[in-house]
Amino acid sequence: MRNHNGYLLRWDDEGMLFDPGEGTQRQMLFAGVSATDVTRICLTHFHGDHCLGVPGVVQRLSLDRVQRPVYAHYPASGRDFFGRLRYAASFYETADLREEPVETDGPVASGTFGTLSALRLEHPVDSYGYRLVEPDGRRMLPDRLAEYGIAGPDIGRLQREGSISVGGPGAGGATVALEDVSEHRRGQRFAFIMDTRLCENVFALADGVDMLVIESTFLAAEAELAESFGHLTAAQAGRVAAECGVRLLVLTHFSQRYTDPAAFGAEAARHFDGPIVVAEDLARVPVPKR
Ligand SMILES: [Zn+2]
């Protein structure tokens, strides 16, 4: 038996909780995740296995006196559903939960963590996938810093100002630029793709991400079923990962008709030669570093 959906992405100071299905609050306890870790609730769509955990999580935010605002993103057409989930039972609301429904394709939030965008998917009900892109930055090179004798607070000053002069009075006072002691570092990228049939936006969301969490409800033998119900097969997920240059593929959301989740990994591996994780309850999967 597997629990319903529920995925927490830890990303700098953010804790983005995607698609909390029934039992998510309980799974959070088992995983050692506290309500104060959650900064955003992101729903792809309003089928029960992707949202029936909202009432418990929302009430827990108030019970635990979460101080900072928590944002909720979900397809705007499901506003009434979210309202009912949010107020499914009586509780004393203290948490500052701010609803920011997704009206159309594009950015839904940005900050020091980067930009979170949503793109419409193809499912019998409105469904959006999410993509998170951290801005590119620079990685300091310890060898070079040592070469120029830059240490301590000077490193921060160099990062802020772009260049500093080194060497004391009489030592020549050379100017060192940030580029001399650091290299370009591409920001990390993440995509979360749930219920959908294969469509253009699946590729747009997954393009060049370090980690792709994607549904694979069916195996290729049931490709017609997948298409008609608006779902993906493991083979399609593998092809998406290969075409999009994904670094780590995480498969999840398997139909109960199958008894062995390993079959999904094996099928995807016929199309994608990178690392594949077949998600299990309470598993922790690090986002590959840049
Ligand atoms: Zn669905």
Side-chain angles (χ1 to χ4, degrees):
M1 284 294 278
R2 297 167 65 88
N3 203 81
H4 279 177
N5 293 294
Y7 311 84
L8 181 79
L9 175 69
R10 293 184 188 275
W11 187 273
D12 297 340
D13 293 335
E14 295 275 326
M16 303 188 185
L17 181 62
F18 290 94
D19 282 3
E22 208 174 326
T24 295
Q25 187 186 184
R26 189 162 182 267
Q27 295 297 99
M28 284 167 64
L29 286 173
F30 286 136
V33 173
S34 110
T36 50
D37 294 330
V38 177
T39 60
R40 290 175 198 278
I41 298 170
C42 306
L43 306 184
T44 58
H45 67 297
F46 284 96
H47 278 151
D49 54 327
H50 297 260
C51 66
L52 285 177
V54 167
V57 171
V58 163
Q59 295 194 21
R60 176 58 59 182
L61 296 174
S62 282
L63 275 172
D64 289 355
R65 308 273 162 184
V66 171
Q67 294 298 316
R68 57 179 169 178
V70 175
Y71 298 88
H73 308 291
Y74 54 79
S77 61
R79 231 181 227 109
D80 291 348
F81 287 127
F82 193 86
R84 289 198 287 271
L85 290 164
R86 179 174 182 176
Y87 297 114
S90 174
F91 70 110
Y92 184 60
E93 188 175 37
T94 60
D96 180 9
L97 180 63
R98 303 181 187 181
E99 296 181 34
E100 294 192 345
V102 179
E103 307 270 359
T104 180
D105 287 4
V108 295
S110 60
T112 52
F113 60 88
T115 300
L116 178 68
S117 304
L119 291 179
R120 186 178 283 277
L121 297 170
E122 289 186 12
H123 198 51
V125 300
D126 277 356
S127 186
Y128 281 88
Y130 293 91
R131 173 179 170 89
L132 182 54
V133 175
E134 181 192 34
D136 291 355
R138 299 201 68 86
R139 178 187 296 114
M140 303 307 282
L141 300 168
D143 291 0
R144 297 282 189 81
L145 288 168
E147 222 170 274
Y148 288 101
I150 301 171
D154 281 346
I155 298 175
R157 198 156 60 85
L158 175 57
Q159 284 172 319
R160 284 192 305 277
E161 295 172 12
S163 69
I164 56 171
S165 44
V166 293
T175 299
V176 176
L178 184 57
E179 291 73 34
D180 298 331
V181 291
S182 65
E183 62 183 4
H184 179 260
R185 173 190 172 274
R186 211 194 77 162
Q188 286 178 298
R189 299 175 187 189
F190 168 86
F192 184 80
I193 298 173
M194 284 296 126
D195 300 11
T196 184
R197 64 175 61 86
L198 199 59
C199 61
E200 278 304 304
N201 278 348
V202 169
F203 293 92
L205 288 160
D207 186 38
V209 296
D210 298 290
M211 181 193 272
L212 170 63
V213 177
I214 189 167
E215 71 122 315
S216 53
T217 308
F218 293 100
L219 294 174
E222 274 75 45
E224 281 180 24
L225 268 186
E227 173 74 18
S228 63
F229 288 113
H231 281 294
L232 296 170
T233 66
Q236 288 172 328
R239 285 204 296 274
V240 168
E243 278 189 41
C244 292
V246 167
R247 288 174 71 208
L248 174 63
L249 173 62
V250 180
L251 300 175
T252 185
H253 199 286
F254 314 117
S255 164
Q256 287 179 354
R257 67 174 54 223
Y258 306 103
T259 50
D260 180 18
F264 291 85
E267 184 172 289
R270 288 201 279 278
H271 304 274
F272 175 63
D273 61 9
I276 298 173
V277 172
V278 176
E280 288 174 15
D281 286 359
L282 304 177
R284 284 163 193 263
V285 186
V287 180
K289 286 201 159 47
R290 276 282 170 189

